Amino acid sequence: MTDSDKRDHANTKPGVIRHSILGVIALAVAALDFTIGTKHVLTAGIIALTVSVYSFTRAAVLRASTTKRGRP
């Protein structure tokens, strides 16, 4: 198995996929909330943006931990 195969396998890890999808959905919800612009919806948009950042960060950590250890 080559290094490129290991990196590809890191992206198929279930946690990486789950957090990436959640991050994209939360980012889309945040964008919609910010376009509406009322006070309560802006608060919900900030929360959705926070969830999106957390999900993308968690996916990156999972992806990096898999490639550094060299385990599939």
Short mmCIF file of all heavy atoms in Angstrom, two decimals:
data_model
loop_
_atom_site.label_atom_id
_atom_site.label_comp_id
_atom_site.label_asym_id
_atom_site.label_seq_id
_atom_site.Cartn_x
_atom_site.Cartn_y
_atom_site.Cartn_z
N MET A 1 0.85 -1.18 0.00
CA MET A 1 0.00 0.00 0.00
C MET A 1 0.89 1.23 0.00
O MET A 1 1.83 1.34 0.77
CB MET A 1 -0.90 -0.01 1.24
CG MET A 1 -1.87 1.11 1.24
SD MET A 1 -2.92 1.23 2.70
CE MET A 1 -3.80 -0.29 2.65
N THR A 2 0.60 2.17 -0.87
CA THR A 2 1.41 3.38 -0.98
C THR A 2 0.86 4.46 -0.07
O THR A 2 -0.23 4.34 0.51
CB THR A 2 1.40 3.88 -2.44
OG1 THR A 2 0.06 4.24 -2.77
CG2 THR A 2 1.93 2.82 -3.39
N ASP A 3 1.63 5.55 0.05
CA ASP A 3 1.18 6.67 0.88
C ASP A 3 -0.07 7.32 0.33
O ASP A 3 -0.93 7.77 1.08
CB ASP A 3 2.29 7.73 0.99
CG ASP A 3 3.41 7.28 1.90
OD1 ASP A 3 3.16 6.40 2.74
OD2 ASP A 3 4.52 7.81 1.77
N SER A 4 -0.19 7.37 -0.98
CA SER A 4 -1.38 8.00 -1.56
C SER A 4 -2.64 7.19 -1.22
O SER A 4 -3.72 7.76 -1.03
CB SER A 4 -1.24 8.15 -3.07
OG SER A 4 -1.13 6.87 -3.68
N ASP A 5 -2.52 5.86 -1.14
CA ASP A 5 -3.67 5.05 -0.74
C ASP A 5 -4.08 5.34 0.69
O ASP A 5 -5.26 5.39 1.02
CB ASP A 5 -3.37 3.56 -0.88
CG ASP A 5 -3.22 3.14 -2.34
OD1 ASP A 5 -3.76 3.86 -3.20
OD2 ASP A 5 -2.56 2.12 -2.58
N LYS A 6 -3.11 5.54 1.57
CA LYS A 6 -3.43 5.82 2.96
C LYS A 6 -4.14 7.17 3.09
O LYS A 6 -5.05 7.31 3.88
CB LYS A 6 -2.15 5.82 3.80
CG LYS A 6 -1.55 4.44 3.95
CD LYS A 6 -0.29 4.50 4.76
CE LYS A 6 0.37 3.13 4.83
NZ LYS A 6 1.65 3.17 5.51
N ARG A 7 -3.72 8.16 2.34
CA ARG A 7 -4.37 9.46 2.42
C ARG A 7 -5.80 9.39 1.90
O ARG A 7 -6.69 10.00 2.44
CB ARG A 7 -3.58 10.50 1.63
CG ARG A 7 -2.45 11.06 2.46
CD ARG A 7 -1.75 12.19 1.73
NE ARG A 7 -0.36 11.79 1.67
CZ ARG A 7 0.36 11.64 0.58
NH1 ARG A 7 -0.16 11.91 -0.57
NH2 ARG A 7 1.60 11.27 0.63
N ASP A 8 -6.02 8.62 0.85
CA ASP A 8 -7.38 8.46 0.33
C ASP A 8 -8.25 7.74 1.34
O ASP A 8 -9.43 8.05 1.49
CB ASP A 8 -7.37 7.68 -0.98
CG ASP A 8 -6.76 8.48 -2.11
OD1 ASP A 8 -6.70 9.72 -1.99
OD2 ASP A 8 -6.35 7.86 -3.10
N HIS A 9 -7.69 6.77 2.04
CA HIS A 9 -8.46 6.04 3.04
C HIS A 9 -8.82 6.93 4.22
O HIS A 9 -9.86 6.75 4.83
CB HIS A 9 -7.67 4.82 3.53
CG HIS A 9 -8.44 3.97 4.47
ND1 HIS A 9 -9.51 3.20 4.05
CD2 HIS A 9 -8.32 3.77 5.80
CE1 HIS A 9 -10.01 2.57 5.09
NE2 HIS A 9 -9.30 2.90 6.16
N ALA A 10 -7.99 7.92 4.52
CA ALA A 10 -8.29 8.83 5.62
C ALA A 10 -9.55 9.63 5.35
O ALA A 10 -10.29 9.97 6.26
CB ALA A 10 -7.12 9.78 5.85
N ASN A 11 -9.83 9.92 4.09
CA ASN A 11 -11.03 10.68 3.75
C ASN A 11 -12.29 9.83 3.76
O ASN A 11 -13.39 10.36 3.74
CB ASN A 11 -10.87 11.33 2.38
CG ASN A 11 -9.81 12.40 2.40
OD1 ASN A 11 -9.58 13.03 3.42
ND2 ASN A 11 -9.15 12.59 1.29
N THR A 12 -12.15 8.51 3.78
CA THR A 12 -13.33 7.65 3.80
C THR A 12 -13.66 7.17 5.20
O THR A 12 -14.60 6.40 5.37
CB THR A 12 -13.13 6.43 2.89
OG1 THR A 12 -12.00 5.68 3.35
CG2 THR A 12 -12.91 6.84 1.46
N LYS A 13 -12.90 7.59 6.19
CA LYS A 13 -13.19 7.22 7.56
C LYS A 13 -14.56 7.79 7.94
O LYS A 13 -14.86 8.95 7.63
CB LYS A 13 -12.10 7.80 8.47
CG LYS A 13 -12.10 7.26 9.86
CD LYS A 13 -10.87 7.76 10.59
CE LYS A 13 -10.87 7.22 12.00
NZ LYS A 13 -9.73 7.68 12.76
N PRO A 14 -15.43 6.99 8.60
CA PRO A 14 -16.80 7.45 8.85
C PRO A 14 -16.90 8.78 9.60
O PRO A 14 -17.76 9.60 9.29
CB PRO A 14 -17.40 6.31 9.69
CG PRO A 14 -16.60 5.13 9.33
CD PRO A 14 -15.22 5.62 9.03
N GLY A 15 -16.06 9.03 10.56
CA GLY A 15 -16.12 10.29 11.30
C GLY A 15 -15.79 11.48 10.44
O GLY A 15 -16.37 12.56 10.59
N VAL A 16 -14.86 11.32 9.51
CA VAL A 16 -14.49 12.40 8.61
C VAL A 16 -15.66 12.75 7.70
O VAL A 16 -16.00 13.92 7.54
CB VAL A 16 -13.24 12.02 7.78
CG1 VAL A 16 -12.95 13.07 6.73
CG2 VAL A 16 -12.04 11.81 8.69
N ILE A 17 -16.28 11.74 7.16
CA ILE A 17 -17.42 11.97 6.26
C ILE A 17 -18.58 12.62 7.02
O ILE A 17 -19.18 13.59 6.56
CB ILE A 17 -17.85 10.66 5.60
CG1 ILE A 17 -16.74 10.15 4.69
CG2 ILE A 17 -19.15 10.83 4.83
CD1 ILE A 17 -16.96 8.76 4.17
N ARG A 18 -18.88 12.09 8.20
CA ARG A 18 -20.00 12.61 8.99
C ARG A 18 -19.78 14.07 9.36
O ARG A 18 -20.68 14.90 9.22
CB ARG A 18 -20.16 11.76 10.25
CG ARG A 18 -21.37 12.11 11.07
CD ARG A 18 -21.50 11.25 12.32
NE ARG A 18 -21.18 9.85 12.08
CZ ARG A 18 -20.21 9.19 12.74
NH1 ARG A 18 -19.51 9.78 13.66
NH2 ARG A 18 -19.98 7.92 12.48
N HIS A 19 -18.58 14.41 9.84
CA HIS A 19 -18.32 15.79 10.24
C HIS A 19 -18.24 16.73 9.05
O HIS A 19 -18.64 17.90 9.15
CB HIS A 19 -17.04 15.86 11.07
CG HIS A 19 -17.22 15.41 12.48
ND1 HIS A 19 -17.96 16.12 13.40
CD2 HIS A 19 -16.78 14.31 13.13
CE1 HIS A 19 -17.96 15.49 14.56
NE2 HIS A 19 -17.25 14.38 14.42
N SER A 20 -17.76 16.24 7.92
CA SER A 20 -17.73 17.08 6.73
C SER A 20 -19.14 17.42 6.24
O SER A 20 -19.42 18.57 5.90
CB SER A 20 -16.95 16.39 5.61
OG SER A 20 -15.61 16.20 6.00
N ILE A 21 -20.01 16.43 6.23
CA ILE A 21 -21.39 16.67 5.80
C ILE A 21 -22.10 17.61 6.78
O ILE A 21 -22.79 18.55 6.37
CB ILE A 21 -22.14 15.34 5.66
CG1 ILE A 21 -21.60 14.56 4.46
CG2 ILE A 21 -23.65 15.56 5.50
CD1 ILE A 21 -22.12 13.15 4.35
N LEU A 22 -21.92 17.37 8.07
CA LEU A 22 -22.54 18.25 9.06
C LEU A 22 -22.01 19.68 8.93
O LEU A 22 -22.77 20.64 9.05
CB LEU A 22 -22.28 17.72 10.48
CG LEU A 22 -22.84 18.54 11.63
CD1 LEU A 22 -24.36 18.58 11.55
CD2 LEU A 22 -22.40 17.98 12.96
N GLY A 23 -20.72 19.83 8.66
CA GLY A 23 -20.14 21.16 8.50
C GLY A 23 -20.71 21.90 7.32
O GLY A 23 -21.01 23.10 7.40
N VAL A 24 -20.90 21.21 6.21
CA VAL A 24 -21.47 21.85 5.02
C VAL A 24 -22.92 22.24 5.25
O VAL A 24 -23.34 23.35 4.89
CB VAL A 24 -21.34 20.91 3.79
CG1 VAL A 24 -22.15 21.42 2.62
CG2 VAL A 24 -19.89 20.74 3.41
N ILE A 25 -23.69 21.36 5.88
CA ILE A 25 -25.10 21.68 6.15
C ILE A 25 -25.21 22.85 7.11
O ILE A 25 -26.02 23.77 6.91
CB ILE A 25 -25.83 20.43 6.67
CG1 ILE A 25 -25.96 19.39 5.56
CG2 ILE A 25 -27.21 20.81 7.22
CD1 ILE A 25 -26.49 18.06 6.02
N ALA A 26 -24.40 22.85 8.17
CA ALA A 26 -24.45 23.95 9.14
C ALA A 26 -24.01 25.26 8.50
O ALA A 26 -24.57 26.33 8.81
CB ALA A 26 -23.57 23.62 10.35
N LEU A 27 -23.05 25.20 7.60
CA LEU A 27 -22.61 26.42 6.91
C LEU A 27 -23.71 26.97 6.00
O LEU A 27 -23.93 28.18 5.94
CB LEU A 27 -21.35 26.12 6.10
CG LEU A 27 -20.62 27.31 5.51
CD1 LEU A 27 -20.15 28.25 6.60
CD2 LEU A 27 -19.44 26.82 4.69
N ALA A 28 -24.44 26.08 5.35
CA ALA A 28 -25.56 26.51 4.50
C ALA A 28 -26.67 27.13 5.34
O ALA A 28 -27.25 28.16 4.96
CB ALA A 28 -26.09 25.33 3.70
N VAL A 29 -26.96 26.53 6.48
CA VAL A 29 -27.99 27.08 7.37
C VAL A 29 -27.56 28.44 7.90
O VAL A 29 -28.37 29.38 7.97
CB VAL A 29 -28.28 26.10 8.54
CG1 VAL A 29 -29.13 26.75 9.61
CG2 VAL A 29 -28.95 24.84 8.00
N ALA A 30 -26.29 28.57 8.25
CA ALA A 30 -25.80 29.86 8.73
C ALA A 30 -25.92 30.93 7.65
O ALA A 30 -26.32 32.07 7.93
CB ALA A 30 -24.35 29.73 9.19
N ALA A 31 -25.60 30.58 6.42
CA ALA A 31 -25.71 31.54 5.32
C ALA A 31 -27.16 31.98 5.12
O ALA A 31 -27.43 33.18 4.92
CB ALA A 31 -25.16 30.93 4.04
N LEU A 32 -28.08 31.04 5.19
CA LEU A 32 -29.50 31.40 5.06
C LEU A 32 -29.96 32.27 6.23
O LEU A 32 -30.71 33.22 6.04
CB LEU A 32 -30.35 30.13 4.99
CG LEU A 32 -30.26 29.34 3.70
CD1 LEU A 32 -31.02 28.02 3.84
CD2 LEU A 32 -30.82 30.16 2.55
N ASP A 33 -29.50 31.95 7.42
CA ASP A 33 -29.89 32.73 8.59
C ASP A 33 -29.37 34.16 8.49
O ASP A 33 -30.06 35.11 8.86
CB ASP A 33 -29.39 32.08 9.87
CG ASP A 33 -30.16 30.83 10.22
OD1 ASP A 33 -31.23 30.60 9.62
OD2 ASP A 33 -29.70 30.07 11.11
N PHE A 34 -28.15 34.33 8.00
CA PHE A 34 -27.59 35.68 7.90
C PHE A 34 -28.28 36.50 6.82
O PHE A 34 -28.32 37.72 6.91
CB PHE A 34 -26.08 35.63 7.65
CG PHE A 34 -25.29 35.17 8.85
CD1 PHE A 34 -24.23 34.29 8.70
CD2 PHE A 34 -25.59 35.62 10.12
CE1 PHE A 34 -23.49 33.87 9.80
CE2 PHE A 34 -24.87 35.20 11.22
CZ PHE A 34 -23.82 34.33 11.07
N THR A 35 -28.83 35.86 5.81
CA THR A 35 -29.52 36.63 4.78
C THR A 35 -30.89 37.10 5.25
O THR A 35 -31.38 38.12 4.78
CB THR A 35 -29.70 35.81 3.48
OG1 THR A 35 -30.41 34.62 3.77
CG2 THR A 35 -28.36 35.47 2.86
N ILE A 36 -31.52 36.38 6.19
CA ILE A 36 -32.82 36.81 6.70
C ILE A 36 -32.65 38.04 7.58
O ILE A 36 -33.35 39.03 7.42
CB ILE A 36 -33.51 35.65 7.47
CG1 ILE A 36 -33.85 34.53 6.48
CG2 ILE A 36 -34.75 36.14 8.19
CD1 ILE A 36 -34.35 33.27 7.12
N GLY A 37 -31.73 37.98 8.54
CA GLY A 37 -31.31 39.17 9.25
C GLY A 37 -32.08 39.62 10.47
O GLY A 37 -31.78 40.69 10.99
N THR A 38 -33.06 38.91 10.98
CA THR A 38 -33.70 39.34 12.21
C THR A 38 -32.83 38.97 13.41
O THR A 38 -31.89 38.17 13.29
CB THR A 38 -35.09 38.71 12.38
OG1 THR A 38 -34.95 37.30 12.48
CG2 THR A 38 -35.99 39.04 11.20
N LYS A 39 -33.14 39.51 14.56
CA LYS A 39 -32.29 39.33 15.74
C LYS A 39 -32.17 37.86 16.14
O LYS A 39 -31.07 37.37 16.38
CB LYS A 39 -32.86 40.15 16.90
CG LYS A 39 -32.05 40.05 18.17
CD LYS A 39 -32.67 40.86 19.29
CE LYS A 39 -31.91 40.71 20.57
NZ LYS A 39 -32.55 41.43 21.67
N HIS A 40 -33.27 37.17 16.21
CA HIS A 40 -33.26 35.76 16.64
C HIS A 40 -32.61 34.86 15.59
O HIS A 40 -31.92 33.90 15.93
CB HIS A 40 -34.67 35.28 16.95
CG HIS A 40 -35.29 36.00 18.10
ND1 HIS A 40 -34.83 35.86 19.39
CD2 HIS A 40 -36.31 36.88 18.16
CE1 HIS A 40 -35.55 36.62 20.19
NE2 HIS A 40 -36.46 37.26 19.47
N VAL A 41 -32.82 35.18 14.35
CA VAL A 41 -32.25 34.37 13.27
C VAL A 41 -30.74 34.61 13.19
O VAL A 41 -29.98 33.69 12.89
CB VAL A 41 -32.96 34.67 11.94
CG1 VAL A 41 -32.32 33.93 10.80
CG2 VAL A 41 -34.43 34.30 12.04
N LEU A 42 -30.29 35.82 13.47
CA LEU A 42 -28.84 36.07 13.50
C LEU A 42 -28.17 35.26 14.61
O LEU A 42 -27.07 34.73 14.43
CB LEU A 42 -28.55 37.56 13.67
CG LEU A 42 -28.77 38.42 12.44
CD1 LEU A 42 -28.54 39.88 12.77
CD2 LEU A 42 -27.87 37.98 11.31
N THR A 43 -28.83 35.16 15.74
CA THR A 43 -28.30 34.34 16.83
C THR A 43 -28.22 32.88 16.41
O THR A 43 -27.21 32.20 16.66
CB THR A 43 -29.19 34.48 18.09
OG1 THR A 43 -29.28 35.86 18.44
CG2 THR A 43 -28.61 33.70 19.24
N ALA A 44 -29.25 32.40 15.75
CA ALA A 44 -29.23 31.02 15.26
C ALA A 44 -28.14 30.84 14.20
O ALA A 44 -27.50 29.79 14.13
CB ALA A 44 -30.58 30.65 14.67
N GLY A 45 -27.90 31.86 13.38
CA GLY A 45 -26.85 31.80 12.38
C GLY A 45 -25.46 31.71 13.00
O GLY A 45 -24.59 31.00 12.50
N ILE A 46 -25.26 32.44 14.09
CA ILE A 46 -23.97 32.38 14.79
C ILE A 46 -23.76 30.99 15.38
O ILE A 46 -22.67 30.44 15.32
CB ILE A 46 -23.91 33.48 15.87
CG1 ILE A 46 -23.84 34.84 15.20
CG2 ILE A 46 -22.71 33.27 16.79
CD1 ILE A 46 -24.02 36.00 16.16
N ILE A 47 -24.82 30.42 15.93
CA ILE A 47 -24.72 29.06 16.48
C ILE A 47 -24.42 28.06 15.36
O ILE A 47 -23.56 27.18 15.51
CB ILE A 47 -26.00 28.70 17.25
CG1 ILE A 47 -26.12 29.56 18.50
CG2 ILE A 47 -26.03 27.22 17.60
CD1 ILE A 47 -27.45 29.48 19.19
N ALA A 48 -25.10 28.19 14.23
CA ALA A 48 -24.86 27.29 13.10
C ALA A 48 -23.44 27.44 12.56
O ALA A 48 -22.79 26.47 12.20
CB ALA A 48 -25.88 27.53 12.00
N LEU A 49 -22.94 28.67 12.53
CA LEU A 49 -21.58 28.91 12.08
C LEU A 49 -20.57 28.28 13.04
O LEU A 49 -19.57 27.70 12.60
CB LEU A 49 -21.33 30.41 11.94
CG LEU A 49 -20.03 30.83 11.28
CD1 LEU A 49 -19.98 30.31 9.85
CD2 LEU A 49 -19.90 32.33 11.29
N THR A 50 -20.84 28.33 14.33
CA THR A 50 -19.98 27.70 15.32
C THR A 50 -19.97 26.18 15.15
O THR A 50 -18.91 25.55 15.22
CB THR A 50 -20.45 28.07 16.75
OG1 THR A 50 -20.49 29.50 16.86
CG2 THR A 50 -19.52 27.50 17.79
N VAL A 51 -21.12 25.60 14.91
CA VAL A 51 -21.20 24.16 14.68
C VAL A 51 -20.43 23.78 13.42
O VAL A 51 -19.73 22.76 13.38
CB VAL A 51 -22.68 23.71 14.57
CG1 VAL A 51 -22.80 22.29 14.07
CG2 VAL A 51 -23.37 23.85 15.91
N SER A 52 -20.52 24.60 12.40
CA SER A 52 -19.80 24.34 11.16
C SER A 52 -18.29 24.37 11.37
O SER A 52 -17.57 23.47 10.90
CB SER A 52 -20.19 25.38 10.11
OG SER A 52 -19.46 25.19 8.93
N VAL A 53 -17.80 25.35 12.08
CA VAL A 53 -16.36 25.44 12.37
C VAL A 53 -15.91 24.25 13.18
O VAL A 53 -14.86 23.64 12.91
CB VAL A 53 -16.03 26.77 13.08
CG1 VAL A 53 -14.62 26.77 13.62
CG2 VAL A 53 -16.24 27.94 12.15
N TYR A 54 -16.68 23.87 14.18
CA TYR A 54 -16.34 22.70 14.99
C TYR A 54 -16.29 21.43 14.14
O TYR A 54 -15.35 20.64 14.25
CB TYR A 54 -17.36 22.51 16.12
CG TYR A 54 -17.20 21.17 16.81
CD1 TYR A 54 -16.17 20.97 17.71
CD2 TYR A 54 -18.05 20.10 16.53
CE1 TYR A 54 -16.00 19.73 18.33
CE2 TYR A 54 -17.89 18.87 17.13
CZ TYR A 54 -16.87 18.70 18.04
OH TYR A 54 -16.70 17.46 18.64
N SER A 55 -17.26 21.26 13.28
CA SER A 55 -17.31 20.04 12.45
C SER A 55 -16.14 19.97 11.49
O SER A 55 -15.53 18.91 11.32
CB SER A 55 -18.62 19.98 11.68
OG SER A 55 -19.69 19.81 12.58
N PHE A 56 -15.82 21.08 10.84
CA PHE A 56 -14.68 21.08 9.93
C PHE A 56 -13.36 20.86 10.67
O PHE A 56 -12.48 20.15 10.18
CB PHE A 56 -14.62 22.38 9.13
CG PHE A 56 -15.65 22.47 8.04
CD1 PHE A 56 -16.40 23.61 7.87
CD2 PHE A 56 -15.86 21.41 7.17
CE1 PHE A 56 -17.34 23.71 6.86
CE2 PHE A 56 -16.80 21.49 6.16
CZ PHE A 56 -17.54 22.64 6.00
N THR A 57 -13.24 21.42 11.87
CA THR A 57 -12.03 21.22 12.67
C THR A 57 -11.91 19.78 13.10
O THR A 57 -10.84 19.18 13.03
CB THR A 57 -12.04 22.14 13.90
OG1 THR A 57 -12.20 23.49 13.46
CG2 THR A 57 -10.77 22.01 14.69
N ARG A 58 -13.01 19.20 13.54
CA ARG A 58 -13.00 17.80 13.97
C ARG A 58 -12.67 16.86 12.81
O ARG A 58 -11.92 15.90 12.98
CB ARG A 58 -14.37 17.45 14.57
CG ARG A 58 -14.44 16.09 15.15
CD ARG A 58 -13.60 15.97 16.41
NE ARG A 58 -13.69 14.61 16.88
CZ ARG A 58 -12.71 13.95 17.43
NH1 ARG A 58 -11.58 14.54 17.67
NH2 ARG A 58 -12.87 12.71 17.81
N ALA A 59 -13.20 17.14 11.63
CA ALA A 59 -12.90 16.32 10.46
C ALA A 59 -11.41 16.43 10.10
O ALA A 59 -10.78 15.43 9.76
CB ALA A 59 -13.75 16.75 9.27
N ALA A 60 -10.86 17.62 10.22
CA ALA A 60 -9.44 17.80 9.92
C ALA A 60 -8.56 17.06 10.92
O ALA A 60 -7.55 16.45 10.55
CB ALA A 60 -9.08 19.28 9.91
N VAL A 61 -8.95 17.07 12.19
CA VAL A 61 -8.19 16.35 13.21
C VAL A 61 -8.25 14.85 12.97
O VAL A 61 -7.24 14.15 13.07
CB VAL A 61 -8.70 16.72 14.63
CG1 VAL A 61 -8.15 15.78 15.68
CG2 VAL A 61 -8.36 18.16 14.96
N LEU A 62 -9.42 14.35 12.65
CA LEU A 62 -9.56 12.92 12.35
C LEU A 62 -8.75 12.53 11.12
O LEU A 62 -8.11 11.48 11.10
CB LEU A 62 -11.03 12.56 12.14
CG LEU A 62 -11.90 12.50 13.39
CD1 LEU A 62 -13.35 12.35 12.99
CD2 LEU A 62 -11.46 11.37 14.28
N ARG A 63 -8.78 13.38 10.12
CA ARG A 63 -8.03 13.10 8.89
C ARG A 63 -6.53 13.11 9.17
O ARG A 63 -5.79 12.24 8.71
CB ARG A 63 -8.38 14.15 7.84
CG ARG A 63 -7.97 13.79 6.46
CD ARG A 63 -8.42 14.83 5.44
NE ARG A 63 -9.88 14.94 5.39
CZ ARG A 63 -10.56 16.05 5.63
NH1 ARG A 63 -9.94 17.16 5.96
NH2 ARG A 63 -11.87 16.06 5.56
N ALA A 64 -6.07 14.06 9.97
CA ALA A 64 -4.64 14.15 10.28
C ALA A 64 -4.18 13.01 11.17
O ALA A 64 -3.07 12.51 11.00
CB ALA A 64 -4.34 15.49 10.95
N SER A 65 -5.01 12.60 12.12
CA SER A 65 -4.61 11.51 13.01
C SER A 65 -4.46 10.20 12.27
O SER A 65 -3.60 9.39 12.59
CB SER A 65 -5.61 11.36 14.15
OG SER A 65 -6.84 10.86 13.67
N THR A 66 -5.25 10.00 11.24
CA THR A 66 -5.16 8.77 10.46
C THR A 66 -3.89 8.77 9.61
O THR A 66 -3.21 7.77 9.52
CB THR A 66 -6.39 8.62 9.55
OG1 THR A 66 -7.54 8.64 10.37
CG2 THR A 66 -6.35 7.32 8.79
N THR A 67 -3.54 9.90 9.01
CA THR A 67 -2.38 9.93 8.14
C THR A 67 -1.09 9.94 8.93
O THR A 67 -0.09 9.40 8.48
CB THR A 67 -2.42 11.16 7.21
OG1 THR A 67 -2.53 12.35 8.00
CG2 THR A 67 -3.58 11.06 6.25
N LYS A 68 -1.05 10.50 10.13
CA LYS A 68 0.18 10.54 10.92
C LYS A 68 0.51 9.16 11.49
O LYS A 68 1.66 8.79 11.58
CB LYS A 68 0.06 11.55 12.06
CG LYS A 68 0.15 12.97 11.60
CD LYS A 68 0.07 13.91 12.76
CE LYS A 68 0.11 15.35 12.29
NZ LYS A 68 -0.04 16.29 13.39
N ARG A 69 -0.48 8.43 11.90
CA ARG A 69 -0.24 7.11 12.49
C ARG A 69 0.12 6.07 11.44
O ARG A 69 0.71 5.07 11.74
CB ARG A 69 -1.48 6.64 13.24
CG ARG A 69 -1.74 7.41 14.49
CD ARG A 69 -2.92 6.82 15.19
NE ARG A 69 -3.39 7.73 16.22
CZ ARG A 69 -4.60 7.72 16.71
NH1 ARG A 69 -5.49 6.88 16.25
NH2 ARG A 69 -4.93 8.56 17.66
N GLY A 70 -0.30 6.33 10.21
CA GLY A 70 -0.02 5.39 9.15
C GLY A 70 -0.92 4.16 9.18
O GLY A 70 -0.64 3.16 8.55
N ARG A 71 -2.00 4.25 9.93
CA ARG A 71 -2.95 3.12 9.99
C ARG A 71 -4.14 3.44 9.10
O ARG A 71 -4.56 4.59 9.01
CB ARG A 71 -3.44 2.92 11.42
CG ARG A 71 -2.37 2.48 12.35
CD ARG A 71 -2.93 2.11 13.67
NE ARG A 71 -3.85 3.13 14.18
CZ ARG A 71 -4.38 3.12 15.39
NH1 ARG A 71 -4.08 2.14 16.20
NH2 ARG A 71 -5.19 4.06 15.79
N PRO A 72 -4.72 2.46 8.49
CA PRO A 72 -5.93 2.70 7.68
C PRO A 72 -7.15 2.93 8.55
O PRO A 72 -7.18 2.66 9.70
CB PRO A 72 -6.10 1.42 6.88
CG PRO A 72 -5.20 0.41 7.47
CD PRO A 72 -4.23 1.13 8.36
#
